[in-house]
Each structure stands twice: as C-alpha cells, then as structure tokens.
Amino acid sequence: MTYRDVVSRQVLTWACTAVGARMPVAMAPLALVFLVRERPGGYSLGAIIAAAYVLGEIVGAPVLGMRLRPERARRQLAVGLGLGAAGFLGLGVFPGAHPVVLAGFACLAGAAPSAATGALRTLLGSLVPERSVAQALSVESILTAGVWALSPAAVAGLALGVAPRVPLLLAAGLMASSAGGLWLLPAGWGAGGTEGKDEAGGTGAPLLRVLVGAWPVYVTGAASLTLLGLSELVLPALLEQRGIGVGWSGPLLAGMAVGGGLGAFLYGLRGWPGLLRTRSLVLTAGTSACVTLAALIPSTPGIAVALVVGGTLQSGAMITRNLSLREVLPPGALAAGYSVMYAAAGAGYAATGSLAGALLQVTAPSTAILAGVGLTALLTVTGWWGEVRRAGRGAGAARVSAGADVAVADGGADGGTVADGGDRARPLGL
C-alpha cells in the first residue's frame, strides 16, 4: 500500500480547497478571544462568543449534513461557505459591536459551513480508487494536523502584531476562497437513491434511522477527540502546577499536532491487522495512557514525549473511525454521517472542557486530566460494546437470510412453492 494513487492534480486542488475551509475553523476560538480581550470582562466575553461559535457547529453540522444531496453538493457547500465567510467578515469589520451581535456573527460563522468537513471528506473518497481510501484519509489527517499546528501561531502573531480583527478577516478571505475552489472540483460524488428523498443510498431506510444506527462509531470518535480537548484546555494549568512556564503550552501542543500528522502518515503506509473497532480501541487506549503520563510526569521533556506519542496514536484512531463509517453507512449517507461525527466530536470536546473547567475550581489540574481520561474510557468502552452488538446482529441476520435461501432451494427441489410471506419454504400440499 502506497500513496501513489493519492498524488493527483484533483487531490491537490481538493487540499487547497480544504485548507481554505478548515483553517478558519481552527483559528476561530483563539481569534475570538483576542478580538474582545481588551473590552471589560474580555476573556470571559471571548469564551462566551467562542461557545456560540462551537454551538453553531454542533447544531448546524447534523442538520445541514442530512440535507446534503450528492448531485447538488457543490451549490449547497458554496452557499454554506459563503455565509460562513460573511459571519467571519462581520466579526472582523464590527469588532466593537454589542456582544449579542458578535455572538450572532460567531454562530453564523460556525453553523453555515459546518457540513463542509463531512462533504469534502466524502468528495475526497470519490477522487481516489477504493483501494486507496485509507491513504486518502491519512492525507486528510496530515493536512488537518498541519492546519491545527499553524493556526494558533498565525492568530497570535496577527492579533498581537497587527490588529485583533485581522485573523478574522483572514478567516473570511480563506473561507470565501474555498467556496470558489469548489468549481475546480467535481460537482458532487456518486451515490444512488438519494435524489430528493429522505433515504440513504437506495437502502429504503430513512436517512435518520440509518445515521442513528451508526451511533457506536460517533461515540468512539467523540471519545478520541475528548483527549485532544483535554490536553489543549488543561495543559496551561498543568504546566503552572508543575512550575513550568505557561509559554511552553504552545510548542507542546504544536508537537502533539506534528505527532498527529506523523501518525496519519504511518497509518497509510500499510494495511494493519485486526478489525477496525479493535484497532480503534487499542489506539484510543494508548492515547489515554499517554495523556495520563503527561498529567503525572513532572518534567517538560517527559510531557512533550507523552503528547507527541499521544497525538500519533490519536490520529490513527480517528482514521479508523472514518473508515468504520464507510463500512456501516451506505454511500448516500456518508456525507451526513461524517457531519454527525463532526458534531459528536464537538460535543465531546465541549463536554470535556466543561468537566475540566468545573474540576479545576476544586482540584489540581493533574486530577482534572485523570477525570477526563476516565470519561474517555467510559465513552470508548460504550462505543466498542455497541459496535460488537451491531456486528453480532448483522451476523445473525446473515445466518437467517442464508437459512431462508437454503429452505427456498429445498422447497423448489421438492416441487414446492414459497409461502407465508416468503419467510418460510413450504412444500406444495403440506
């Protein structure tokens, strides 16, 4: 297995479009804090506006993702990205507006383009041969890791070195450029059976029911992202507890992001043994162990190594989650499924942040991290158990179907007919 099939002009165009759509997402929370930090109650106000942005993402991703149609995806995505750019532009042009107005712009900037991540991932899968989908998802993870490593430095440099509004204006320009980049890509992706109907890929099942049936994958995906959120949100307080300069939090998190890119690259180099759900369990458990070590190790180099290795394992876990969705969802439901995963990850991130914030009021940062790791373990085991149950039901249904086929064949050989609604074969005259 190599990356040869992924190297093409179309994939390069896709990558440029994806960077334009995703870098504003990575920049937004920190940029919103810098935007209002000089106002009364600046940091608290920034956190509230950032929360409005995240809430827009969480609500918008599943709602808009379920409305995506393969045959007109380009038009739907362009509208969403355009409105998102307008939201960022409003924040940059009116930084002194009333907090309610700023929260409204932030919510629009988060909600309108929230289906783009899932749709672009689905589109990427259609640009490469089926045998190279894992490599394509690895490339996407490498790209995402790079975006998340670069964004904090870009926001801080522009906000402090030029003006607080500049990062948001840059985000607006990037998102507008990604909307234009869609016209250099295919208009959609192939998936039969969804033309204007609430059905998934021609299976005859309502889209909502199909998406809900994949809940274990969303739970384990959210579990993997909670560890990332835990590391980002509690690391400064942990460093302070250890007597380490808080300024090290930026380089340490950048190292974690670089580890994520390395892990994604290594995952795509070869095929890996075991079921996807087993790989996910092992990788998430390894990430949890690394975050636990980061909470307990007193030295900066030890924390750095733990976070880099944790980021390496975490990116592999997320790739297994995306591959699992491709297994359990029909093609017509993939974009919606990825959007629901995006929302679930955002909800997990927010839940971990809330838990950590509450615990930091009453306990040490290291203890707060360990409590978050415990929550992650609970989510991971729940999702794995759900996948095992789903696989067991699928195997049982396959055995019943095979038995019915044999019975039909036996009945036909005896000169019988199929009766009782096709569920049993009953020889004629019995």
Side-chain angles (χ1 to χ4, degrees), residues 23 26-27 30 34 146-161 167 250-251 254:
M23 193 159 180
M27 295 169 64
L30 186 58
F34 274 112
V147 165
W148 281 92
L150 176 63
S151 294
V155 170
L158 291 172
L160 297 176

Side-chain angles (χ1 to χ4, degrees), residues 114-125:
S114 57
T117 296
L120 286 171
R121 182 175 296 140
T122 306
L123 182 58
L124 175 62

Side-chain angles (χ1 to χ4, degrees), residues 44-115:
S44 297
L45 177 60
I48 292 171
I49 297 174
Y53 175 85
V54 174
L55 180 63
E57 287 186 300
I58 293 172
V59 174
V63 173
L64 297 178
M66 289 179 63
R67 296 181 64 85
L68 277 174
R69 294 294 178 264
E71 67 278 4
R72 56 176 184 270
R74 176 194 286 163
R75 185 172 54 205
Q76 291 176 292
L77 290 177
V79 170
L81 290 168
L83 290 174
F88 281 113
L89 184 64
L91 289 164
V93 172
F94 304 107
H98 191 277
V100 174
V101 175
L102 294 179
F105 279 132
C107 189
L108 175 65
S114 57

Side-chain angles (χ1 to χ4, degrees), residues 4-54:
R4 188 175 294 112
D5 290 331
V6 182
V7 180
S8 69
R9 180 174 296 179
Q10 276 198 320
V11 172
L12 178 61
T13 302
W14 176 93
C16 295
T17 303
V19 168
R22 294 182 187 182
M23 193 159 180
V25 175
M27 295 169 64
L30 186 58
L32 291 170
V33 171
F34 274 112
L35 182 69
V36 297
R37 74 187 185 99
E38 300 294 339
R39 295 173 62 163
Y43 285 111
S44 297
L45 177 60
I48 292 171
I49 297 174
Y53 175 85
V54 174

